[in-house]
Amino acid sequence: MKLHFEGDLNALRPGIRVLSQELKFSEEDNGLVVQVGQSGDQDELEVGLKQGKAYIYYGQKHQFFRGLGLLLQRVSAGDSAFELRERQQFDTIGPMFDLSRNAVLTVDSFKLMLNKMALMGLNTVMLYMEDTYSVDSEPYFGYMRGRYTYAELKEIDDYADQFGIEAFPSIQTLAHLEEFLKWQPVWDYRDTKGALIVGEDRTDRLIEKMIEAASAPFRSRKIHIGMDEAEELGRGKYLDRNGYRSRFEIMTEQLDKVLECTRRLGLKPMMWSDMFLKLAVGNAGTESNYYDKNTSIPEEMARRIPKDVDMVYWDYVHLEPEDYENVIANHRPLGCNLVFAGAVWIFNTFGVNYGLSLNASDTALQVCKKEGIREAYATMWGDDGNEGNPFAALLGLQLYAEHAYSAEKPDREWVASRAKFCTGIEADAFLLMKDLDETPGAESDNRKQSNPSKFLLYQDVLLGLFDKQIEGLDMAGHYARLQHQIRSRRNPSADLDYLFEVPEKLCGVLKRKSEVGIELKRAYDAKDNAKLQEIATEVLPAIAEAVRELRNAHRVQWLRMFKPFGWEVIDIRYGGVVNRIDTAIYRLLDYVEGRIDRIEELEQERLVYSATNRFNNKGAGWCSYYYRMASPNVFFHVLNPF
């Protein structure tokens, strides 16, 4: 397609040049005339085509690129005349990428993601970096973790800015620092396994260096200082040295020190709000306290909390408006500006829990509009190693973008058409990602966050920890059907088609492996040696080969998206699956050929893995940690943690 822009394009030219390659248009004198100008209202975007001439009138820079996408989408669909007018509902909206749990996006991958965000009209991106940025004079900070250099972060920031997208860092200044504090040479900074020891000069100096290093590459003066889920606060070396002190007092003293630094640097801080709401009910140990509708912030607590830090209310699971309304009301007495963080669920899975994500996001974002919350983020956490990836979550980001430009809940067909244009992938293809976990036994829309795609891959075939959990469910048939569906929906001409290679190969494993432990136990109990020999010589070798194919596909995808650091964890996990299959074959052949008279692993009764199961209407099952999926035995034990 040929376009001829007219108007002041100086600030837009770099972004136009980048997107022209992705959208396959050129600027030619004989192209479609596109009049470009300011709308006069910073929240207003107007796009149209009349009498063979187009126009884009925008209020803010990022809106122009959404407008460009809308124009090309309508023209490519054959529309010869149209008018669109949108009003931005949030001042700031965009994703938060978890860059701390093995998967650190390469700069090139980050740029590709920013291209998609620009077409959607998103205008901010938060980089969650616990220790994956460089801090001068702290060589163990992010050591071997794929940490970004100053130059890399500046390159990301420069690239985002050409689209009017504000990039800024999200760090931790209290807890969630296990990966830095594990190193023995820095134990002087450690209170507990993951929390800094506060109230000491060396810790204060470290935090200052962290804030300075994280903020320096970015134009934005925003910084997220973390401080969430600090349940260990004051319970380690701090307790030994200072005796018992109220965690609220420790927390606010630490916050005061952090804010002294942000004020000095001219930064605008935000923090996760959960600890204050948990402490308000006298217990910071359970997540349920955070969402308790009866939570009341004492007046004295509200007075003590500084007002120049934004509070970020995170909520990823609720489906009813009143749940969000209640927790928002609980935040009001804090007196701070309130920011919302929802989620696109790529946590602890190979797929995306779109059933929960899309419905929860629809509800949450409509409540935010009603309650006057003007800043919203879509978090994409990578808990427990990050087998998933943020590109698979683009349909969820599209939903956030369409909410940002619609006072009402956006129509799902419109979201789907926008996603197809902005990503090149059909919405229905993205939605197949949910079926990796929305299996027989799962709740509707996987509201209970079952993740069988992960635990059925990693569970040991001889130990069968999850066999009772899935007994009677047609998991093998489900994954066979899903593999066929994924294969039939793939589009080799789409740039992001490679995203479906891993899910397709994973289904190829799980259609064979998901129920093999149940078959083994049944054959062993029936003393069916012929069946056991067939499993040992035919079924298990085929599973091992399918796992190797999956690993190869996953390696290609990982190294295309992420830095190599962290892949070794996933590599080791695949190796564990294959090696344990090899041992299972060895054990089975020893038994059927008479070298041993029993297989102790198969003698054991199979029990339900946890209280999260279909027998009590809590879904097909959930497990948060690989090492608990792979074995009930000890993976590690820390003798001297301090």
Side-chain angles (χ1 to χ4, degrees), residues 99 110 125-129 133 148-150 152-158 160-161 165-171 211-223 267:
L99 305 165
F110 218 118
V125 59
M126 190 192 310
L127 287 75
Y128 180 74
M129 303 177 290
Y133 58 100
Y148 288 117
T149 64
Y150 172 94
E152 287 175 318
L153 291 175
K154 188 175 188 311
E155 186 175 355
I156 290 170
D157 185 60
D158 288 343
D161 182 67
I165 296 172
E166 180 183 29
F168 69 97
S170 173
I171 65 172
I211 293 172
E212 289 171 353
S215 61
F218 297 96
R219 290 170 173 78
S220 174
R221 294 294 81 201
K222 284 184 182 177
I223 187 169
L267 299 173

Side-chain angles (χ1 to χ4, degrees), residues 336-377:
C336 302
N337 180 52
L338 189 58
V339 175
F340 178 73
V344 186
W345 271 85
I346 60 171
F347 322 175
N348 258 304
T349 176
F350 280 78
V352 185
N353 187 345
Y354 273 124
L356 177 60
S357 296
L358 298 182
N359 289 306
S361 296
D362 262 339
T363 303
L365 293 173
Q366 283 304 105
V367 171
C368 285
K369 295 173 197 177
K370 172 176 167 286
E371 295 287 337
I373 293 175
R374 300 291 298 178
E375 190 168 353
Y377 296 90

Side-chain angles (χ1 to χ4, degrees), residues 243-283:
Y244 174 78
R245 293 189 68 219
S246 156
R247 277 183 289 170
F248 176 72
E249 289 301 320
I250 302 173
M251 182 93 177
T252 51
E253 285 179 8
Q254 176 67 1
L255 178 58
D256 286 340
K257 288 185 177 182
V258 172
L259 294 185
E260 284 178 17
C261 180
T262 60
R263 291 169 190 143
R264 177 174 58 81
L265 295 172
L267 299 173
K268 181 69 176 84
M270 62 177 72
M271 65 176 286
W272 306 111
S273 66
D274 57 288
M275 283 300 291
F276 284 132
L277 268 72
K278 292 173 184 176
L279 290 167
V281 294
N283 183 351

Side-chain angles (χ1 to χ4, degrees), residues 18 119 174 249 269 311 324 409 519 581 618:
V18 168
L119 291 173
L174 185 57
E249 289 301 320
M311 290 290 163
Y324 296 96
K409 185 170 74 172
E519 294 179 34
I581 289 173
K618 291 187 178 180

